[in-house]
Amino acid sequence: MGSRFEEGERVLCFHGPLLYEARCHKVNSEGEVDLYLIHYNGWSQKWDEWIPETRILKFNDTNLKKQSELKEHHKKAQNRGKNKKGRSADTTESEEAFAAKVSIHIELPDQLKLALLDDWDLITQQKHLLKLPATNSVASVIAEFRVYSTHVDAPDSDRDQVLEGVLGYFSRLLGMQLLYKFERLQYADTLEDNKGISVCELYGVEHLLRLFVRIGEHLAFTELDNNAISVLQKYIQQLLMFIERHREKYLQTNNYVIATPDYLRRAGV
């Protein structure tokens, strides 16, 4: 079955609650989910991004009407929340406003940054793969952090919601944005061999760290207010510090194996 959208096709794409005119530049059908390289009309190329088809609509009269309705709804919502001086935000974002939104940043501890560099080198340059299922899965690490946090601090519903959110983001983004090209065949094989099991139970901390490099981009386009984003950043930073303190347990070189000749052949290397 072919991709739903074609290279060069004019489309409408969701960014947060609104639809923007864009053009599909490339199609990547190698993974479980087709990805599309999108260029937003009127924006510089630095804002081009790979997105799944769930964020893309055909460019037609029906969807242009939907775009107008969303913009009008968004305008009314902003007017209801305008400040005491009576100002309301413009319904269309400037490039400066867009840049400010994507500045939400998760700071990785230095040792975890080094671990990510090693991870990149081992997989993309040395053609290693991570053992799957992981010895310390994303789900188990977060469960251990939850137990640790409960002993240190009082139970916290905000923390629990953040951790559930992290698991949700990981599940949604792993196949689309957290894999190197060399890992995609392993991903497909792993899902085939472990049907019905969450990727949070199969993949480990190395991929979780990749999520935290990317998650700020996605937080920028949620409906979370500044306070909610601050809470989320706080608990993600605590989780990262926990991982760093236990990095000898979670980030071991023997988590990797050299890809077999058969895998290299099937991966086209």
Side-chain angles (χ1 to χ4, degrees), residues 175-199:
M176 294 188 291
Q177 296 188 18
L178 305 183
L179 298 173
Y180 295 118
K181 183 178 180 180
F182 186 61
E183 297 175 296
R184 291 195 173 278
L185 177 60
Q186 183 194 36
Y187 174 74
D189 290 345
T190 300
L191 292 189
E192 179 65 25
D193 294 340
N194 296 274
K195 291 180 179 179
I197 301 177
S198 167
V199 293

Side-chain angles (χ1 to χ4, degrees), residues 201-240:
E201 301 282 355
L202 300 172
Y203 281 77
V205 171
E206 294 84 1
H207 288 86
L208 182 61
L209 295 183
R210 297 183 205 174
L211 170 68
F212 292 136
V213 173
R214 304 294 302 272
I215 197 170
E217 304 167 14
H218 296 273
L219 296 178
F221 300 105
T222 65
E223 295 299 308
L224 297 175
D225 59 27
N226 289 338
N227 182 62
I229 288 174
S230 294
V231 170
L232 193 148
Q233 287 176 306
K234 169 187 172 182
Y235 289 118
I236 288 179
Q237 294 295 164
Q238 289 184 7
L239 174 58
L240 286 168

